Amino acid sequence: NYNKSRIHSFRGAKDVAITLDGRCIFKGEIARASGGILGQTDTFGDTILFTMEDDILESMSQYDETYEGEDLFSARVEDIQRPLTAGEDDVRPFTSAAVNFPKESPPQQLSPTPEDYVPTIAATTTTKSLIGQRLKLNFTATWGDIHYLGLTGLEILDVNGDVIDIRLDQIDANPRDLNILPEYNNDDRTLDKLFDDNNITMVDQHMWLIPFSDGMDHTLIINFDTPMEVSGLRIWNYNKSPEDTYRGAKTVHVSLDNQTLSPSEGYLIRKGPGNCFFDFAQEIIFNNTSTGIASDNTAMDNVRGSVVESEEPSQDYESMIMPCGFVFQLQLLSTWGDPYYIGLNGLEFYDDHGQRIALTQSNIAAYPASVNVLEGVENDVRTPDKLIDGMNDTMDGRHMWLSPMLPNVINLVYVIFDQPMTVSMIKLWNYSKTSTRGVKEFALLVDDLLIYNGTLGQVTQAARGILPTCEAPIQYHTILFTNNKHIYEKEKRTVISNQNKDQDVQLTNDSRIMAHYNDPQNNPTVDQALRPKTSVPASVRKKFPRF
């Protein structure tokens, strides 16, 4: 696909139809290119196959320079039932709860386990108990799929935020599952999977899926034995794959004993991430009316703030619209020299009024989570929660986050909200303990939409003296999304500027390549066996010199 840069990759084609002698042989969506030059074939687009014959695929592999081994067309392909892509648009595509990978080797998960999840309720929210016996959820929209609607998990919370135990005989749904359709028989994605406590997963045998019809009701009813005090829901949306997350529920209307609890437009449910890099549970508190639907497009919302009359920010983009979304994702692409580790000291998010957003441990996650994912490393305190502990301008490793750089893995930092959050400014403190491990190139995505990429400055030990030319070191760097003149005047010295950046140059003579520009940072050759050891335990003993 179109691959000029990360920004321009959004110019790539999305919906494609291929005809052969006037007959449609393919109709579907192709992947966006990454905007870079690293990665496997699927990083740059999609492969469309018109055959699964082993002999033909084997012959193709002999002349395909991108073919990398037996695993490209492994046995897992044989288990996939390709959905219908041609013909009339009103044909429901086939879907199956088949295993897309061997059961003995599920996708590796380097993120915290479900036991590490710490459910929290915002301190500014006063939890209000509601007493009733019949709780009804009505799902009215998906994130784009016109045929199916699904969820991975569901929990009902009491007044203390604890989970209420639900038995299978207490729940009912209409439609109940896919087995009501004549073409399905014994599909595993049944109603009981919502309460099997296996929620952080990509295996669809632990999910619930029903046929969806736009404009119709899709209800889930929980009948308690006696009137219960309820305060909210915890929902894990459908998460089989990045493509299948569009089958997840988008809006839900909630009532208790026929008393409506949700806003008139319903509650907005966050789309699943399509991976298991973090716990994607979303909490909906019934008396918190701000969890209603803000708009149909949560990626870009309101324009607020006044225009700077004197001087414009020096960022390499026009910050005229403040981003609004559920999941803010930092893609950390390179360091300032260290090929093995990458880290940050801290980060802060500010809302559309310029007020710092209070973040808790349930709002922050990373992949890989920390250096503790390495073999032989445990109890290292440089975990993702240190990014929001408030101790950012420090040289103490106990208040930093550090993660290993692994082959073919992009390091990610997630900031997750239970409702769409408008952000006017983000402050980033780079890793200071070993400055070469600090982040250099990075990208920022909001609900999978790329909104910024740039270079984060390296921590330098500036001269501290009485010379008038000495400038104090910059403690943090700012990504500014508002033109509010008061905020800009305060932060203009820290706003990220990427004007001084190396250019990639390739020399040619009569269309013959004479020399490549090879940036060792972008094309690292790293021997994992030479990874240096690093450790910051919870208690650091102060060492005194011996005399």
Side-chain angles (χ1 to χ4, degrees):
N1 218 329
Y2 195 73
N3 197 48
K4 179 181 178 183
S5 67
R6 295 187 185 95
I7 292 293
H8 290 90
S9 65
F10 284 91
R11 294 177 176 175
K14 181 181 179 183
D15 297 315
V16 176
I18 302 176
T19 61
L20 178 64
D21 293 338
R23 183 169 61 92
C24 183
I25 60 174
F26 175 82
K27 184 177 181 181
E29 179 179 309
I30 63 174
R32 177 177 62 86
S34 65
I37 60 174
L38 298 179
Q40 307 301 324
T41 307
D42 55 2
T43 306
F44 305 98
D46 258 325
T47 300
I48 302 174
L49 295 177
F50 296 103
T51 180
M52 288 296 180
E53 293 292 335
D54 292 338
D55 294 339
I56 299 177
L57 296 178
E58 181 65 27
S59 299
M60 291 166 53
S61 67
Q62 297 178 12
Y63 303 97
D64 187 357
E65 295 179 355
T66 63
Y67 179 72
E68 297 188 356
E70 295 292 333
D71 58 342
L72 183 60
F73 303 110
S74 59
R76 72 174 64 180
V77 177
E78 300 175 0
D79 297 331
I80 301 176
Q81 296 185 11
R82 181 180 296 276
L84 297 177
T85 55
E88 293 83 12
D89 293 335
D90 57 351
V91 177
R92 185 185 297 274
F94 291 123
T95 179
S96 173
V99 183
N100 292 337
F101 46 82
K103 290 185 178 181
E104 63 274 12
S105 58
Q108 292 184 355
Q109 179 176 330
L110 300 179
S111 59
T113 59
E115 289 76 16
D116 295 330
Y117 174 74
V118 181
T120 58
I121 298 177
T124 56
T125 302
T126 303
T127 304
K128 176 182 177 182
S129 63
L130 301 165
I131 301 177
Q133 192 167 352
R134 187 174 187 267
L135 183 66
K136 178 180 178 182
L137 312 180
N138 184 14
F139 302 97
T140 57
T142 69
W143 277 101
D145 196 293
I146 61 175
H147 297 297
Y148 299 100
L149 181 148
L151 293 174
T152 299
L154 176 66
E155 292 179 350
I156 314 299
L157 307 179
D158 62 15
V159 66
N160 298 317
D162 298 326
V163 180
I164 299 176
D165 292 332
I166 303 295
R167 302 191 311 273
L168 294 182
D169 62 328
Q170 294 178 307
I171 58 176
D172 194 13
N174 185 26
R176 188 172 181 87
D177 52 48
L178 290 181
N179 294 308
I180 67 170
L181 299 175
E183 62 267 30
Y184 286 90
N185 185 22
N186 297 325
D187 191 277
D188 291 331
R189 291 166 291 188
T190 50
L191 186 58
D192 58 294
K193 303 306 190 303
L194 284 180
F195 302 93
D196 66 355
D197 295 329
N198 199 329
N199 300 321
I200 307 176
T201 180
M202 295 177 64
V203 180
D204 56 354
Q205 284 94 337
H206 296 287
M207 303 178 192
W208 174 57
L209 193 67
I210 61 173
F212 174 77
S213 300
D214 190 24
M216 304 296 290
D217 291 337
H218 309 80
T219 58
L220 173 63
I221 298 175
I222 298 98
N223 291 298
F224 303 113
D225 294 334
T226 59
M228 299 288 295
E229 288 185 304
V230 295
S231 63
L233 308 172
R234 187 176 295 133
I235 296 177
W236 290 262
N237 219 335
Y238 199 74
N239 196 53
K240 179 180 178 181
S241 69
E243 294 77 15
D244 285 307
T245 56
Y246 292 94
R247 293 177 173 177
K250 183 178 182 180
T251 59
V252 59
H253 298 261
V254 184
S255 63
L256 182 64
D257 289 348
N258 296 323
Q259 176 187 357
T260 301
L261 305 182
S262 56
S264 58
E265 66 273 17
Y267 290 117
L268 183 63
I269 304 176
R270 185 175 64 226
K271 186 164 71 76
N275 56 56
C276 295
F277 295 167
F278 62 94
D279 190 337
F280 51 94
Q282 177 186 2
E283 287 191 0
I284 296 177
I285 306 302
F286 291 146
N287 66 311
N288 188 2
T289 56
S290 61
T291 57
I293 299 175
S295 66
D296 290 335
N297 182 8
T298 63
M300 296 290 180
D301 218 5
N302 301 322
V303 179
R304 295 190 179 98
S306 57
V307 177
V308 180
E309 298 178 355
S310 57
E311 183 181 1
E312 291 293 331
S314 59
Q315 298 179 128
D316 298 337
Y317 65 97
E318 296 181 3
S319 55
M320 297 300 294
I321 299 179
M322 289 182 283
C324 178
F326 283 107
V327 179
F328 289 74
Q329 178 190 134
L330 284 169
Q331 293 187 350
L332 312 181
L333 307 175
S334 64
T335 69
W336 282 99
D338 194 299
Y340 296 102
Y341 297 99
I342 190 168
L344 288 170
N345 274 21
L347 55 81
E348 290 180 354
F349 278 61
Y350 291 78
D351 63 16
D352 50 343
H353 300 293
Q355 301 296 318
R356 185 166 64 90
I357 301 172
L359 300 176
T360 65
Q361 190 171 347
S362 61
N363 296 117
I364 193 78
Y367 176 85
S370 70
V371 292
N372 290 305
V373 303
L374 296 174
E375 184 179 358
V377 179
E378 58 183 22
N379 300 324
D380 193 288
V381 297
R382 290 170 291 183
T383 49
D385 58 291
K386 303 307 186 299
L387 292 171
I388 56 172
D389 66 356
M391 300 289 291
N392 302 322
D393 185 20
T394 178
M395 297 295 292
D396 188 348
R398 292 172 296 178
H399 299 284
M400 304 175 188
W401 167 76
L402 190 68
S403 178
M405 299 181 69
L406 302 175
N408 301 319
V409 173
I410 296 178
N411 292 77
L412 306 173
V413 174
Y414 293 95
V415 178
I416 309 115
F417 298 102
D418 286 337
Q419 53 187 298
M421 184 66 67
T422 301
V423 173
S424 63
M425 179 172 57
I426 300 175
K427 295 182 180 180
L428 299 172
W429 283 260
N430 217 341
Y431 195 77
S432 60
K433 187 173 185 289
T434 305
S435 61
T436 55
R437 294 177 176 177
V439 175
K440 183 180 180 182
E441 295 176 302
F442 73 99
L444 176 65
L445 292 82
V446 180
D447 292 340
D448 298 326
L449 175 64
L450 179 66
I451 63 171
Y452 175 78
N453 63 357
T455 302
L456 192 64
Q458 184 180 14
V459 175
T460 58
Q461 300 301 319
R464 299 180 181 273
I466 60 174
L467 295 177
T469 57
C470 289
E471 293 185 359
I474 298 177
Q475 297 178 346
Y476 59 87
H477 300 271
T478 303
I479 307 174
L480 205 59
F481 297 110
T482 177
N483 285 335
N484 184 289
K485 61 182 181 181
H486 302 293
I487 296 178
Y488 171 67
E489 287 298 327
K490 182 179 179 181
E491 302 294 340
K492 63 181 181 180
R493 183 172 171 268
T494 65
V495 171
I496 297 176
S497 176
N498 301 315
Q499 296 175 357
N500 298 325
K501 187 177 181 182
D502 294 336
Q503 298 293 315
D504 293 346
V505 178
Q506 178 176 283
L507 303 180
T508 60
N509 184 10
D510 291 336
S511 301
R512 185 165 60 95
I513 298 177
M514 305 299 296
H516 288 279
Y517 174 86
N518 291 320
D519 185 352
Q521 184 65 45
N522 292 330
N523 299 276
T525 301
V526 179
D527 186 353
Q528 295 295 319
L530 300 179
R531 180 186 296 275
K533 300 293 184 181
T534 180
S535 177
V536 175
S539 58
V540 179
R541 180 179 299 175
K542 189 174 181 180
K543 295 183 179 180
F544 295 94
R546 293 184 177 180
F547 297 97

